[in-house]
Amino acid sequence: MTGDTHQPSEEEVILMLKRAGLTLPPEQLESCCAVVRRLEAAARRLRKDLKRADEPASVFPIRR
């Protein structure tokens, strides 16, 4: 993917599915493409300015 505005084309989604060993019927492929577009948009909205120490999960000590 190039840049923060890339939206995978249907052909790219099909290629990713083939690499994963999946073959979907047309109606499921259409749904999958829509989901990928929404996931890409959601990923772009994630904050990228956080440091690892800012992770909320790091406040819980791990006891062994």
Side-chain angles (χ1 to χ4, degrees):
M1 287 185 235
T2 57
D4 287 339
T5 60
H6 178 72
Q7 286 291 326
S9 67
E10 186 172 324
E11 292 80 23
E12 288 174 305
V13 174
I14 291 170
L15 180 60
M16 288 186 267
L17 291 169
K18 282 184 182 178
R19 287 180 179 167
L22 299 171
T23 304
L24 300 179
E27 60 276 359
Q28 288 182 339
L29 178 60
E30 185 178 320
S31 295
C32 186
C33 288
V35 167
V36 168
R37 284 190 290 274
R38 289 193 297 271
L39 287 174
E40 289 287 334
R44 281 193 306 277
R45 291 190 299 269
L46 291 175
R47 290 182 60 187
K48 295 173 180 67
D49 60 338
L50 296 175
K51 295 177 179 63
R52 183 163 176 82
D54 293 338
E55 171 61 40
S58 68
V59 300
F60 300 104
I62 298 174
R63 296 182 185 160
R64 294 184 182 196

